[in-house]
Every structure is written in C-alpha cells, then in structure tokens.
Amino acid sequence: MAISRGHRFPIEFDEAFPQGLVMVGEVSPDNEYQSREDRSAGRPARQRIDEISGKRQWKVTVTDPSEPNAKRASFEITLVADVQPVPTTGEVLPGMRPIELEGLTAEPRVAGNGEFKYQTYLFRASGFKAVASSGGRSSKQTGEPVAKAA
C-alpha cells in the first residue's frame, strides 16, 4: 500500500512538541507571491487557500524548546481556518507566548542542500487551544481567592 506524496498525518500536540511551543510575533495571512509589476499596478495580495480543506491559510512563527539544533528550533506553522485564529494565552515576554495547537497534522519533507539533507515536517493546525500547564494561570483560572490590596 503506497502513501501518496503530500499526505498529512494527524498527530497529538504533546507527541510532536513534548515541551510545548512558544509563539514569536503575531498570526499573519499567508499571502501568495506578489511580483513588482503587481505591486506597482496596485493589485491586492491574495491569501493562499489550502488545497484540501478550501480554507484560508495563516502563518505563525514558533520556537520549539525541545529542539537541540538551534538552526531548526524556530520555524513557521501554517494555520488553516476561515477566519484568523487568535491565541488563547497571554504574552510572557513582549511578543512571546506559550501555545498549544489543535487539529495538528504533520507532512514529511526533505530539507537541506547537497549532501546535507535531513527529514523535517511541515506542520498544519486548525487553531489554538488553552495551554494545559499551570505556569501562567491566574488565580481566577485556578479558583484561588484573589488577595485585595488595602
């Protein structure tokens, strides 16, 4: 039985990223390439559409703390949704927030040049879900009483 090229394997978030992910920056539209002539003519940029689901593609830059190779630790993940997904967590540092993804799929790819090729994955997700770790929870989320200042 052959697996066709471009097959997307569903994968649990915790299996793919055991230490979670950190989102760097914001979610932005994944636009098609726009030539200099198109820009000068005032043609609007077109957002890419996922060929399987028919939904719009969004992109987000993430960092994987469990990746030992620094050059491969940061990469882009494609989000597939009709409207722009909104992260469910707050920033821990300016422009950085821990995230978890739902509807995660992995598509195997070959990356690198010449004799230095390696296997990597193109990850897609349908959106964000609440982070399971209790590190950044407020007292409202944990059910503990809030201390009032006098």
Side-chain angles (χ1 to χ4, degrees), residues 137-149:
R137 288 188 176 173
S138 68
S139 58
K140 183 183 271 188
Q141 293 171 326
T142 59
E144 297 171 6
V146 178
K148 293 185 180 180

Side-chain angles (χ1 to χ4, degrees), residues 69 71-72 109-113 115-120:
N69 187 335
K71 291 183 180 181
R72 298 183 201 167
R109 293 283 172 120
V110 175
N113 294 321
E115 62 186 70
F116 302 105
K117 292 187 179 182
Y118 57 94
Q119 182 173 357
T120 187

Side-chain angles (χ1 to χ4, degrees), residues 4 12-13 18 24 26 37-38 43 57 62 66-67 81 85 88 92 100-101 104 111 114 132-133 137:
S4 61
E12 289 296 319
F13 180 82
V24 181
E26 298 296 326
E37 292 82 24
D38 289 341
R43 294 188 186 106
Q57 290 187 176
V62 298
S66 62
E67 175 60 55
T88 59
V92 292
E100 277 194 37
L101 301 169
L104 188 64
S133 67
R137 288 188 176 173

Side-chain angles (χ1 to χ4, degrees), residues 25-141:
E26 298 296 326
V27 177
S28 61
D30 187 9
N31 292 329
E32 293 178 356
Y33 173 76
Q34 190 177 26
S35 69
R36 192 177 306 176
E37 292 82 24
D38 289 341
R39 282 193 298 266
S40 64
R43 294 188 186 106
R46 293 186 345 179
Q47 190 170 357
R48 289 190 175 137
I49 304 294
D50 181 50
E51 63 274 0
I52 293 177
S53 68
K55 296 182 179 185
R56 294 175 182 226
Q57 290 187 176
W58 308 86
K59 60 184 176 181
V60 62
T61 302
V62 298
T63 297
D64 182 4
S66 62
E67 175 60 55
N69 187 335
K71 291 183 180 181
R72 298 183 201 167
S74 290
F75 54 94
E76 284 188 344
I77 289 186
T78 302
L79 300 171
V80 181
D82 290 326
V83 296
Q84 182 173 347
V86 178
T88 59
T89 57
E91 292 183 340
V92 292
L93 291 171
M96 299 179 79
R97 64 182 77 217
I99 60 168
E100 277 194 37
L101 301 169
E102 60 184 6
L104 188 64
T105 62
E107 180 182 335
R109 293 283 172 120
V110 175
N113 294 321
E115 62 186 70
F116 302 105
K117 292 187 179 182
Y118 57 94
Q119 182 173 357
T120 187
Y121 297 92
L122 175 61
F123 289 102
R124 290 183 181 87
S126 59
F128 298 100
K129 65 180 176 180
V131 176
S133 67
S134 61
R137 288 188 176 173
S138 68
S139 58
K140 183 183 271 188
Q141 293 171 326

